[in-house]
């Protein structure tokens, strides 16, 4: 793995421009867009510039904007610009200029001048490396051309992540296909962003090209589609987040692009991207509206069409269609809006845009402005651009605006005119007309209202009654009809028509149609209208003619004509009536006048009022009334009907008109329903008189009877179904008048229609636009709910199979029965119930398919009405028995052999018969189920009989008959539930067959049947428990295999209900037996436990909780838990469920259940268990060990539930009876656990389970309660138990909360018992655990009670603990002392005298003993760590000395790394915390011990000394500097003291050098904390120490000291450099003496000489104060130093000396001094020794290299020596001197040959 330095070097190498790599430079220079690499490599920049600048000049001619670049990147001086020599700021400025040029040239890269210009930028400025991205994006639109492949050949091979998609094409130099770039834009966000920014900037700088924008737009559209598709393939939340990210990336781009009005191509491209994006995302309406405004904000004529397409897409996605005024105005300002919409509609969906604009135009009209493009809506309707919903909304808005326009408004003509045009356009459109008419109906308007509203005449379009022109001339071709005029129609009428027959004679009248057509044409001209009235056929003087004309007008206004035409007919009627001199009773008009008063149009009702006023004038003179003939009396209607008309007397007509109608005419005009109420009130005895305050006037019964007969006879007689319908609605609510019933009068009409042809009835209704079903129901309403005769009529008609009514009337009759059922008299209801049962049930046959619909309708009526109990009993009595002739169904083998065909025929017949019976039975059961009276207990015996029959059917034919059984069981359940409040005596006990219900549950495979059977059993259990208790146990067994496995809520409720109802009586029965209660309950629980795994997970807890609630959780909860574990094993799901189950109950109940489980476990160990066999299965093959383990494991698992522990803790806090009970149970459970442990001692598998149980019990209660409860266990005779309890205490106390007061008190109460264990127990493991518990207590709560901890500390430090012989006890005691020291701190002073000696003794043992040292060693040092940290002043004197000595001893031993680290940490604390004086003193006293033990102990000693200097501040170091210097000198003297002792072998030269290096570093650290004032005297003292031994006998010792001293000096001057140059004066003389002396008798003198030379070199190298320029110092050093050249003995020494001389020459830096040095070196060149001559030449070479020409100024002196040495006898010398000569020639630039000659 590479180091950080290597990685940094690699990074630098990768970015290096290789200035010295000529091959790389040549390769970079050969990269070109237009030249081959071999040609480009030999071109210079002048040649390249001449070629490229020509292309640039041509570009300037094409585009003047290139000219400014001639002053920088294409200037003549650009040839000399080198990017590698430019600063970063200059390079950035150059990059900016280059990018501006690339943006500008991007549109012209296909022309050769542009390529030439770019070539210059590539060759000179290397833009393919510095501006790679911009260059690639410039050429990207032309990626398919060869120039792009050429570009890829020169770009760097290591592309950025933005353009990494091009990497595969760099090697192949192939052009990337378009899909690759689209894929990169889709998946590479960096490339997506960079390209967008490039295009936007190009457009902003106006350097774009159409090709670039077009390519960008199409590719980005594809990229946005790809990104949105990727987002759609994720989860909904992730999709929403990804879509937001995409929008955040693309919307700013589109926003900027749409803002560029001067770049239409860019806007069109943005429209395309925006359209795609909007169509694939669900944007908010506000966002879509904002985008629409952005699209419209900068549009131009060039982009208007594309703009509209984009807006159409945007608006198509909006939920709302309303547009702000600004958007609407901008859309309307588009001159070609209508044409563009029409063109777009052929390819795009524009209905939302069209509707928004159309709706906006209506809104603009509302503000009083004339909208532009007024033909827009007509064009949209013509092209079907609007949907029906939009047309409807537009029509409603148009009418609403027209209604809201103020008549006084000045803009009324403008608004109304435009809105009227919209209405006319809609009526003229084939697709919009029906929708517009439907809107008129919804708004309670008609065309007449619309004409009034808009003040125009609208064309009339009708589909009902024939139009006058179009339908009267049926014989003529179409072209003739189009030119028919009123005059031609008039001529035909006068020639053909007569007045003999009134026009109310038939339903379809050809004379009426022709007259109506003529009248309609006449209404178009006022003169023609008057002329039509004056026609002879209309104004006939005779009565017949009068009847004809009046019948025409009455039929006209009752037909489907426009309101204006109806008004004209009513007014014409009034005119004729007023102008006629004929004296006649015109009462036949009254029913039709009633109809006119109920017309939807108010103007028609007003005209009817005027007509009635004119009619009333004829009845003012009462004396003439009696003689007035009744018009139409003989032939008003068909001859079969006219004779039956009941006419009113003239006086009654006058009363009706003047007293009944006239007072309310004004109200009738305003309210179309008023006429109905008036006539009903008149017929129903009283009528409110409007001109009398709060009075009612009673009409005579004769008048009411006559009026009822009059109306009813006209209902029977009139051929107009619309008039019939209106008059029938008048009679709705009128049953009789004056003793005459409505049913009597109208039953002939009803009978006629019921028995008539349905097609004629439907045709008549359609002709008059009546709803067929509605009119049929109105006709049936003539049968009163209280009329037995009328209902008998309907029943007879339905029951008569020879002449049954049509299907239409059957449906209507059945619906009529449904509607009137609730108000029928009981006897009529029962009669209808019987009839309907006969039709719908008894008449059923599987082979009769013709009457299926009729039977189904009858059944529907029965299922939707309330049947009485008597009717239900009747049905049950009428049902045939479901008895199967098994012999017939299953013929014998003999019959099969002799008559197979007959048998098959009889079997098929029997099957059909059984199927019919079953269907009838099922229908009756359905009726009972849905009936409100189906809960009567009288039905129950018969239902049980049906259940018996059904069971036999199931057994015989093998069909489970699930639906029939479930329906029957539901009905029986409803009866039993309703009868719970009744006494049992009301039920025949023998009629209840529980066995049938249980068999039904057992034998069926239908889940629904099982559910209903359970419901019935539950209900029976509550109603008659004694009947089912002995048969109910099998239920639960079968429930386990079926119902309990269902996950639906319905099954769950049924099972819960069963448990609720059945179990209590069952348990009561068990208890009455006084034996086997537990076994019975266990058997019951087992049936549920067996199905446990099949019960849906979410149902288990609720189900079994309900079971326990009924059984009694305190008695049987443990049974359930044990059976579950025994049945399914100790699976995690089972145990977790048991835990959840326990949590449903109070804590005391849970604790009792666990206690009972443990009791069963104990029972299982007995030779003859008593409880276990009753609960657990009797499987003898099952391993008893497994059973016992399951019981113990279950108890352990339940005890480990933290929620139970928390609940118990809350109860224990109250300290009441419940808490006492819990403690009592807990103690019993502990005894049980101990007993189980004893029993399972010999069973290995169970022993661990019992231990786990004990652990769980220990952790079960809160610590305070557990400690209190388990105090006595510490005195238990079982040591294993005591260990378990102590271990539990340790764990619990360790996890206890510090602020728990109760736990704290319990812990301190426990301390005396623990101390007693320490004193009395002989078991070391118990002692260890007790000490561990004490340690935890001291750590958690020690600071709260220091006195108690002090007593503990005394005990711990006593002989029983710290003085114990057991290693682990010693370690635990030491660890405990650490905690006590941390807690007590100064309070522990009293026992420190006993702790320190024992601890040091233990440390000595650990160091000396090999078998038990590491843990004890570490523990002792940790004790001292605590003491150093909290009581550093306590460890001093002899204890500190001994600690250091033992540390040295430990350092020399083979302790592991952990021990070494702990010891080092401890000594580090010692140096930091203990006073420096004490540390130094201790080091002084232990130096000899360290030195005697060797290098490791000395290094340990020096580490302490180093830490003392490091850890203490400068002030302390200054204060103790003399002691420290003394210590340092003592260590420096190690070489002298050890090298000449008897035990010289202990210290090698390497060891001594290691010690010297270490002490040198320590001394430098001390120097750092001293200033010159403090250190200079110390330095002098140290220098004196090194030279104080002067006598010859001490010469060796002096040399040893000097070695140590110069080792320090070398380090000193090398480290502090120029700061301490002046200190060289102290050692200069000594150094010269060493160089001058040659004590060959001293072995270490060469080493001393080497160190001296290195020290001098360090002095020379860092001289910045001209210290060595002094002549005196120079003279002192020069000769001894240069004389050393004679003493060279090795290449290494030569190099050291030569570098020293070179540094010396550099430091002196004086011509005179250099001359002296040179002369002395030259003297050595004349030496007889080749080594000396060689050393001198090398010295010259070094000086020449270092000083250069300054040194060669002495060349004249050197030349003779060079010349002489060049002919030296020694080959090495000659070789070196020639090397020197060549060096000189290189510096001087000329040859030495001439000089040497």
């Amino acid at each position: 793995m590479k180091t950080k330095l290597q990685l940094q070097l690699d990074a630098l190498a990768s970015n290096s421009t290789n200035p010295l790599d000529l091959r790389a430079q040549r390769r970079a220079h050969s990269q070109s867009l237009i030249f081959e690499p071999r040609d480009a490599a030999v071109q210079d920049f002048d040649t390249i510039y001449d070629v490229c600048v020509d292309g640039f000049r041509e570009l300037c001619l094409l585009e003047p904007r290139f000219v400014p670049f001639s002053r920088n990147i294409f200037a003549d001086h650009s040839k000399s610009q080198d990017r590698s020599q430019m600063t970063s700021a200059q390079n950035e400025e150059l990059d900016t200029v280059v990018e501006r040029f690339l943006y500008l040239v991007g549109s012209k890269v296909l022309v050769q001048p542009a390529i030439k210009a770019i070539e210059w930028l590539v060759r000179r400025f290397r833009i393919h490396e510095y501006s790679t991205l911009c260059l690639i994006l410039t050429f990207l639109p032309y990626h398919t051309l060869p120039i792009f492949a050429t570009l890829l050949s020169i770009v760097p091979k290591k592309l950025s992540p933005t353009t990494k998609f091009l990497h595969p094409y760099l090697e192949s130099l192939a052009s990337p296909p378009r899909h690759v770039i689209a894929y990169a834009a889709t998946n590479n966000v960096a490339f997506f962003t960079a390209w967008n920014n490039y295009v936007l900037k190009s457009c902003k700088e106006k350097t774009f090209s159409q090709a670039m924008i077009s390519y960008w737009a199409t590719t980005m559209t594809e990229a946005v589609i790809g990104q949105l598709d990727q987002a759609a393939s994720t989860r909904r939340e992730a999709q929403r987040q990804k879509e937001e990210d995409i929008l955040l990336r693309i919307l700013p781009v589109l926003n900027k692009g749409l803002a560029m009005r001067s770049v239409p191509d860019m806007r069109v491209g943005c429209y395309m991207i925006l359209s795609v994006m909007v169509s694939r995302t669900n944007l908010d309406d506000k966002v879509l509206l904002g985008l629409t405004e952005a699209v419209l904000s900068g549009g131009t004529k060039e982009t208007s069409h594309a703009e509209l397409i984009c807006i159409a897409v945007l608006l198509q996605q909006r939920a709302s269609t309303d547009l702000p005024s600004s958007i609407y105005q901008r859309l309307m300002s588009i001159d070609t809006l209508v044409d563009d919409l029409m063109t777009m509609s052929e390819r795009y969906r524009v209905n939302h845009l069209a509707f928004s604009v159309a709706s906006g135009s209506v809104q603009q009209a509302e503000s009083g402005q004339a909208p532009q493009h007024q033909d827009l809506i007509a064009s949209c309707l013509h092209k079907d651009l609007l949907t029906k919903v939009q047309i409807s909304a537009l029509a409603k808005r148009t009418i609403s605006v027209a209604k809201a326009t103020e008549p006084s408004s000045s803009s009324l003509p403008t608004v109304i005119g435009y809105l009227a045009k919209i209405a006319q356009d809609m009526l003229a459109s084939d697709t919009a007309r029906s929708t517009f008419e439907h809107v008129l109906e919804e708004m309670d308007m008609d065309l007449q209202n619309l004409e009034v509203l808009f003040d125009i005449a609208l064309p009339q379009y009708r589909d009902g009654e024939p139009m006058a022109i179009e339908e009267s001339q049926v014989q003529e071709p179409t072209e003739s009809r189009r030119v028919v005029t009123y005059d031609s129609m008039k001529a035909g009428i006068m020639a053909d028509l007569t007045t003999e027959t009134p026009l109310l004679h038939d339903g379809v009248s050809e004379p009426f149609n022709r007259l109506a057509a003529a009248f309609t044409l006449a209404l178009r001209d006022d003169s023609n209208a008057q002329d039509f009235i004056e026609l002879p056929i209309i104004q006939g003087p005779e009565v017949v003619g009068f009847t004809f004309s009046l019948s025409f007008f009455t039929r006209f206004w009752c037909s489907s004509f426009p309101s204006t035409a109806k008004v004209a007919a009513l007014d014409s009627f009034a005119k004729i009536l007023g102008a006629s001199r004929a004296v006649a009773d015109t009462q036949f008009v009254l029913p039709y006048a009633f109809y006119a008063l109920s017309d939807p149009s108010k103007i028609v009702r007003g005209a009817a009022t005027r007509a009635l006023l004119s009619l009333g004038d004829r009845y003012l003179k009462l004396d003439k009334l009696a003689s007035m003939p009744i018009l139409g009396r003989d032939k008003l209607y068909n001859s079969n009907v006219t004779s039956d008309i009941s006419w009113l007397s003239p006086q009654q007509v006058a009363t009706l008109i003047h007293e009944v109608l006239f007072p309310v005419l004004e109200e009738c005009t305003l309210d179309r329903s008023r006429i109905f109420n008036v006539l009903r009130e008149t017929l129903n005895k009283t009528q409110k008189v409007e001109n009398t305050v709060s009075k009612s006037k009673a009409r005579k019964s004769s008048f009411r009877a006559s009026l009822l007969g009059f109306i009813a006879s006209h209902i029977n007689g009139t051929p107009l179904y619309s008039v019939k319908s209106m008059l029938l609605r008048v009679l709705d609510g009128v049953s009789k008048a004056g003793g005459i019933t409505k049913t009597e009068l109208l039953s002939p009409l009803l009978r006629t229609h019921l028995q008539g042809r349905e097609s004629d009835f439907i045709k008549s209704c359609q002709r008059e636009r009546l709803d067929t079903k509605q009119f049929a129901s109105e006709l049936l309403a003539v049968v009163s709910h209280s009329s037995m005769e009328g209902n008998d009529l309907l029943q007879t008609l339905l029951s008569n199979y020879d002449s049954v009514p049509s299907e239409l009337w059957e449906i209507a009759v059945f619906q009529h029965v449904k509607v009137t059922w609730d108000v029928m008299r009981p006897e009529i209801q029962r009669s209808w119930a019987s009839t309907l049962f006969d039709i719908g049930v008894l008449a059923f046959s599987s082979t009769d398919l013709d009457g299926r619909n009729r039977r189904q309708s009858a059944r529907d009526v029965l299922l939707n009405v309330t049947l009485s109990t008597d009717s239900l009993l009747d049905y049950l009595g009428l049902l045939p028995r479901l008895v199967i002739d098994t012999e017939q169904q299953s013929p014998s083998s003999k019959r099969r052999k002799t008559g197979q065909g007959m048998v098959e025929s009889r079997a098929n017949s029997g099957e059909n018969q059984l199927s019919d019976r079953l269907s009838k039975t099922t229908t009756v059961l359905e009726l009972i189920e849905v009936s409100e009276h189906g809960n009567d207990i009288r039905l129950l015996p018969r239902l049980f009989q049906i259940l018996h029959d059904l069971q036999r059917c199931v057994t015989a034919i093998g069909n489970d008959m699930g639906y029939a059984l479930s329906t029957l069981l539901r009905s029986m359940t409803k009866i039993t539930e309703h009868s719970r409040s009744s006494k049992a005596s009301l039920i025949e006990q023998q009629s209840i067959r529980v066995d049938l219900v249980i068999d039904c549950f057992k034998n069926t495979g239908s889940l629904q049947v099982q559910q209903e059977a359970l419901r019935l059993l539950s209900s029976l259990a509550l109603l008659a428990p004694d009947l089912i208790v002995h048969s109910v146990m099998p239920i639960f067994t079968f429930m386990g295999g079926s119902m309990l496995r269902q996950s639906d809520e319905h099954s769950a409720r049924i099972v819960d209900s069963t448990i609720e109802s059945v179990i209590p009586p069952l348990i009561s029965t068990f208890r009455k037996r006084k034996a086997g209660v537990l076994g019975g309950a266990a058997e019951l629980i087992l049936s549920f436990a067996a199905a446990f795994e099949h019960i849906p997970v979410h149902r288990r807890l609720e189900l079994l909780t309900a079971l326990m609630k009924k059984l009694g959780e305190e008695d049987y909860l443990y049974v359930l838990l044990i059976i579950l574990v025994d049945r399914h094993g100790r699976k995690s799901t089972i145990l977790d469920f048991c835990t959840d189950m326990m949590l449903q109950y109070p804590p005391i109940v849970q604790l009792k259940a666990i206690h009972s489980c443990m009791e069963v476990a104990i029972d299982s160990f007995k030779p003859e268990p008593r409880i276990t066999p009753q609960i657990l299965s009797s499987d003898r093959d099952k391993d008893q060990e497994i059973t016992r383990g399951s019981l113990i494991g279950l108890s352990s698992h339940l005890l480990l539930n933290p929620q139970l522990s928390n609940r118990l803790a809350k109860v224990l806090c109250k300290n009441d009876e419940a808490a006492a009970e819990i403690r009592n149970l807990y103690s019993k459970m502990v005894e049980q656990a101990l007993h189980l442990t004893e029993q399972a001692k010999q069973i290995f598998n169970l022993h661990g389970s019992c231990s786990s149980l004990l652990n769980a019990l220990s952790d079960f209660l809160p610590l305070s309660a557990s400690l209190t409860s388990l105090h006595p266990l510490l005195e238990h005779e079982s040591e294993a138990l005591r260990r378990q309890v102590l271990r539990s205490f340790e764990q619990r106390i360790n996890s206890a909360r510090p602020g728990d007061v109760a736990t704290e008190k319990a812990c301190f109460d426990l301390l005396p018992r623990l101390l007693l264990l320490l004193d009395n127990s002989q078991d070391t493991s118990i002692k260890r655990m007790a000490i561990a518990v004490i340690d935890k207590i001291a750590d958690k709560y020690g600071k709260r009670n220091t006195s108690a901890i002090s007593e503990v500390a005394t005990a711990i430090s006593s002989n029983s603990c710290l003085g114990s012989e057991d290693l682990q006890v010693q370690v635990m005691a030491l660890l405990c002392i650490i905690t006590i020291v941390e807690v007590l701190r100064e309070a522990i002073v009293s026992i420190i005298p006993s702790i320190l000696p024992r601890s040091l003794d233990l440390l000595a043992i650990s160091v000396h003993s090999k078998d038990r040292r590491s843990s004890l060693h570490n523990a002792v040092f940790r004790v001292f760590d605590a003491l150093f940290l909290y009581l550093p002043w306590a460890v001093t004197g002899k204890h500190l000395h001994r600690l250091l000595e033992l540390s040295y001893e430990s350092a020399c031993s083979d302790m592991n790394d952990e021990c070494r680290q702990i010891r080092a940490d401890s000594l580090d604390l010692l140096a930091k915390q203990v006073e420096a004086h004490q540390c130094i003193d201790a080091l002084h006293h232990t130096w000899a011990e360290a030195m005697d033990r060797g290098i490791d102990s000395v290094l340990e000693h020096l580490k302490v000394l180093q830490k003392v200097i490091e850890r203490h501040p400068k002030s302390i170091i200054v204060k103790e500097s003399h002691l420290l210097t003394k210590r340092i000198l003592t260590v420096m003297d190690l070489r002298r003291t050890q090298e000449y002792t008897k035990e010289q072998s202990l210290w090698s030269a390497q060891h001594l050098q290691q010690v010297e290096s270490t002490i040198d570093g320590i001394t430098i650290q001390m120097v750092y904390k001293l200033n010159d004032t403090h250190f200079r005297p110390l330095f002098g003292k140290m220098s004196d120490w090194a030279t104080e031994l002067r006598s010859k006998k001490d010469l060796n010792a002096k040399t040893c000291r000097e070695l140590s001293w110069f080792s320090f000096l070398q380090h000193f001057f090398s480290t502090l450099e120029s700061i301490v140059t002046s200190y060289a004066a102290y050692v200069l003389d000594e150094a010269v003496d060493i160089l001058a002396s040659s004590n060959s008798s001293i072995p270490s003198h060469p080493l001393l000489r080497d160190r001296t030379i290195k020290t001098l070199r360090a002095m020379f190298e860092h001289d910045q104060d001209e210290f060595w320029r002094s002549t005196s110092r120079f003279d002192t050093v020069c000769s001894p130093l240069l004389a050393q050249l004679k003493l060279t003995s090795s290449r290494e020494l030569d190099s050291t000396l030569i570098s020293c001389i070179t540094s010396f020459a550099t430091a002196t830096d004086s011509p005179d001094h250099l001359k002296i040095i040179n002369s002395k070196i030259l003297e050595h060149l004349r030496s007889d020794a080749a080594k000396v001559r060689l050393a001198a030449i090398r010295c010259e070479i070094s000086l020449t290299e270092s000083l250069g020409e300054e040194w060669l100024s002495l060349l004249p002196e050197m030349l003779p020596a060079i010349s002489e040495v060049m002919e030296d006898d020694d080959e090495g010398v000659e070789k070196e001197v020639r090397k020197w000569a060549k060096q000189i020639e290189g510096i001087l630039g000329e040859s030495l040959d001439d000089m040497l000659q």
Side-chain angles (χ1 to χ4, degrees), residues 71 92 287 424 551 595 776 800 842 1062 1253 1258 1271 1447 1559 1718 1735 1780:
R71 294 188 289 272
E92 290 178 4
V287 177
Q424 289 173 332
S551 67
Y595 181 84
N800 188 357
L842 293 182
V1062 175
L1253 178 61
S1258 300
H1271 279 178
S1447 298
I1559 194 63
N1718 183 48
W1780 182 27

Side-chain angles (χ1 to χ4, degrees), residues 528-809:
N528 289 340
Q530 183 62 33
D531 180 71
F532 181 84
I533 297 174
E534 293 175 355
L535 289 176
I537 197 171
I538 300 301
Q539 288 284 1
E542 63 276 354
V543 174
V544 174
F546 194 35
T547 303
F548 181 85
S549 62
L550 294 184
S551 67
F552 165 72
F553 287 115
T554 54
R555 181 161 186 164
F556 190 92
W557 77 60
C558 292
S559 300
S560 300
F561 287 98
S563 299
T564 51
K566 291 183 180 181
V567 171
L570 285 164
D571 290 342
S572 300
F573 170 84
K575 284 183 181 180
I576 292 174
L577 202 62
S580 176
R581 299 178 180 178
V583 179
D585 187 352
T586 57
Q587 62 177 289
F588 82 89
V589 179
L590 285 175
Y592 304 95
F594 298 159
Y595 181 84
L597 287 176
S598 68
D599 194 273
S601 176
K602 182 179 178 181
I603 58 175
V604 174
R605 297 196 298 274
T609 299
R610 295 191 296 272
L612 273 172
L613 290 173
S614 178
L615 181 64
D617 291 342
R618 303 181 66 86
Y619 294 91
L620 290 177
K621 299 178 181 180
L622 297 177
D623 55 340
K624 296 182 179 180
L625 293 179
S627 59
M628 292 173 61
I630 299 175
L631 291 181
R633 187 182 188 98
D634 298 326
K635 49 193 306 185
L636 178 65
Y637 302 127
N638 188 286
S639 58
N640 297 329
V641 182
T642 303
S643 59
D644 297 330
I645 297 297
S646 176
W647 300 99
L648 297 174
S649 66
Q651 293 80 3
Q652 289 175 331
V653 174
T655 301
L656 178 62
I657 294 175
H658 292 287
E659 296 184 13
V660 176
L661 297 179
F662 277 9
V664 296
L665 284 180
E666 186 176 353
E667 294 180 20
C668 292
T669 303
L670 297 174
D671 183 6
R672 61 178 292 191
S673 64
R674 184 59 178 140
I675 186 62
F676 295 96
N677 296 330
V678 169
L679 293 175
R680 287 179 192 140
E681 291 172 3
T682 303
L683 292 170
N684 287 326
K685 297 185 179 180
T686 61
Q687 178 194 16
K688 184 177 289 188
V689 183
E690 300 299 330
N691 58 358
T692 305
V693 180
S694 301
K695 292 183 180 179
S696 293
K697 181 178 180 181
R699 301 296 174 189
K700 294 181 179 179
S701 59
S702 59
F703 174 78
R704 290 187 288 108
S706 299
L707 180 59
L708 178 60
F710 174 74
I711 294 174
S713 61
H714 280 281
I715 291 173
N716 289 328
T718 181
L720 303 181
Y721 275 42
S722 56
V723 178
K724 288 180 185 287
S725 174
M726 182 269 170
L727 295 177
L728 285 171
R729 279 181 282 150
V730 168
L731 297 184
D732 187 20
V734 178
S735 59
K736 63 179 180 178
I740 302 175
T741 65
K742 173 180 63 175
T743 305
E744 294 177 14
L745 297 172
L746 296 176
S747 56
L749 175 67
L750 178 61
R751 186 186 300 274
T752 300
H753 282 92
L754 286 172
Q755 295 179 344
R757 293 173 59 186
E758 180 179 333
S759 59
D760 294 342
F761 178 75
I762 293 175
K763 185 176 180 181
S764 299
C765 291
Q766 289 177 345
R767 185 171 59 246
E768 301 194 32
R769 297 183 180 180
L770 289 178
D771 186 297
T772 309
K773 295 180 179 179
Q774 178 64 28
F775 184 50
S777 63
E778 291 171 357
L779 280 172
L780 287 171
V782 302
V783 177
S784 173
H785 58 82
S786 58
S787 171
M788 181 65 77
E789 295 79 5
N791 284 282
D792 286 344
L793 170 64
L794 295 180
Q795 292 176 37
T796 302
L797 291 173
L798 287 177
S799 300
N800 188 357
Y801 285 90
D802 295 332
S803 58
V804 295
S806 65
E807 183 178 357
L808 169 69
W809 285 106

Side-chain angles (χ1 to χ4, degrees), residues 1132-1157:
S1132 59
T1133 54
I1134 300 298
L1135 294 177
D1136 291 343
F1137 175 79
C1138 291
T1139 302
D1140 295 339
M1141 187 73 185
M1142 290 277 282
L1143 292 176
Q1144 307 303 310
Y1145 304 104
I1148 188 65
V1149 175
Q1150 298 183 52
L1151 204 58
K1152 288 180 179 179
I1154 299 173
H1155 173 259
S1156 299
C1157 290

Side-chain angles (χ1 to χ4, degrees), residues 1464-1495:
D1465 294 342
S1466 183
L1467 294 178
D1468 190 9
L1469 269 177
L1470 181 152
K1472 179 181 179 181
Q1473 298 295 114
V1474 178
E1475 292 182 359
H1477 182 77
Q1478 294 286 343
C1479 289
I1480 298 170
D1481 181 68
L1483 291 171
H1484 172 70
H1485 284 87
T1486 58
W1487 168 247
E1489 180 71 21
M1491 192 169 52
D1492 291 342
R1493 293 191 177 278
I1495 181 64

